[in-house]
Amino acid sequence: MANLVYKRVSTDRQSTDRQNLVLDEAGIEDPVVFEEDPGTSSRLHPLERPKFGELITYSRPGDTVHISEMFRLVRGTGHILDVLDVLHRDRLALRIHDGAFSAMDLTARHPRTGELLSTVKFMVQTLAAAGELQRDLQRELTYDGLRAAEAKGNKGGRRPAVTAARAASVRAGYRGGQSIAALAREHHVSRGAIRTAVADLLPEHTAADQDALAPELPVVLDMPGKVADFLRAADLEPAERTALDQGVTVRRGQGYTLRISAIPAVHRRLLDRCQPLDGTSAIPAQRKARREYENRVSNLGQ
């Protein structure tokens, strides 16, 4: 009887580090790994994905399919029931090692009819529907937050850097006495972009060359689960996505926190990304979770 491990990430900027951690902690013996190409969308039916198809072809009755969390394999209710039918047909067991489904035997069947137990089917449909509702709400909140920001004149996303064509003008303006803030407003870029363009002209440049600042060291912070759920659906930079994917889940009653190790700058950028959770369109629990995370990030400077 073989242990078949299935892994998947939704974008090519994500990694399987978190899945590896959960599966390694499970102590699976002699795993045979089937990993989809990066960026394999959850919208593609599991039975149509190349690596899951290979897993089913490779499997033999009595084998066990292992996944870190249910959503690595399926998203919608229909997908779950389709996959369970195939696993039952091929007499395969399913073991989920983290998340809401981890304590359930999803392959349990009625001893006489052979059909999926009604209680199991009900729980699967309920939990899957709750997961879909959560993702839909996250998308709606993100959209509403972006619209609110646009109404205030903020288009969102990263502000453009200073182009080579503008660099000479920026440097001339700085030499002429214009402040970094004024140059940023004039050229519609961030202050950081202006600082980068005039880095060698800044007063601290010489001192930095003589005595370079030590690099920032990673700091461990607990991110509330509601913030983590929101950020997983957000468009993140590679360093931010890596920090999120490598976070360790810590169960807190019915919820959880994600223990993230990253340099302070990454923690601050992740805090900026969840700004929509502070808006009126967010539910109270999300606003509270963001405030808690903001307090923890703010304490980094103390």
Side-chain angles (χ1 to χ4, degrees), residues 139-174:
R139 285 193 291 267
E140 290 173 5
L141 290 171
T142 300
Y143 177 71
D144 291 342
L146 291 174
R147 287 190 61 192
E150 288 177 0
K152 295 179 180 178
N154 183 359
K155 296 183 179 179
R158 298 184 66 186
R159 300 188 69 179
V162 175
T163 64
R166 291 186 178 184
S169 174
V170 169
R171 292 169 66 83
Y174 184 77

Side-chain angles (χ1 to χ4, degrees), residues 140-141 144-145 148 152 275-284 286-287 291:
E140 290 173 5
L141 290 171
D144 291 342
K152 295 179 180 178
Q275 181 65 38
L277 293 184
D278 203 30
T280 56
S281 58
I283 61 176
Q286 290 175 317
R287 292 198 293 271
R291 287 195 298 271

Side-chain angles (χ1 to χ4, degrees), residues 23 29 68-69 114 137 151 154 156 173 187 191-192 207 226 235 266 298:
L23 295 167
E29 294 184 2
S68 59
E69 297 139 311
L137 287 173
N154 183 359
H187 294 276
R191 297 184 185 186
K226 293 189 183 302
D235 184 16
V266 171
S298 299

Side-chain angles (χ1 to χ4, degrees), residues 188-229:
H188 305 289
V189 297
S190 67
R191 297 184 185 186
I194 297 296
R195 284 186 173 274
T196 299
V198 300
D200 60 320
L201 305 178
L202 296 174
E204 63 267 25
H205 178 72
T206 302
D209 285 345
Q210 295 173 352
D211 186 17
L213 295 175
E216 286 188 308
L217 297 177
V219 177
V220 177
L221 282 185
D222 283 354
M223 175 186 290
K226 293 189 183 302
V227 174
D229 291 340

Side-chain angles (χ1 to χ4, degrees), residues 219-273:
V219 177
V220 177
L221 282 185
D222 283 354
M223 175 186 290
K226 293 189 183 302
V227 174
D229 291 340
F230 174 81
L231 289 175
R232 284 196 176 100
D235 184 16
L236 304 179
E237 294 294 327
E240 300 161 6
R241 179 65 63 185
T242 298
L244 199 67
D245 288 344
Q246 292 179 348
V248 178
T249 299
V250 180
R251 294 294 166 188
R252 306 288 189 192
Q254 295 182 344
Y256 76 98
T257 60
L258 193 64
R259 187 155 292 165
I260 295 178
S261 177
I263 62 173
V266 171
H267 284 299
R268 295 186 185 101
R269 293 206 299 269
L270 287 171
L271 176 63
D272 290 340
R273 298 286 187 188

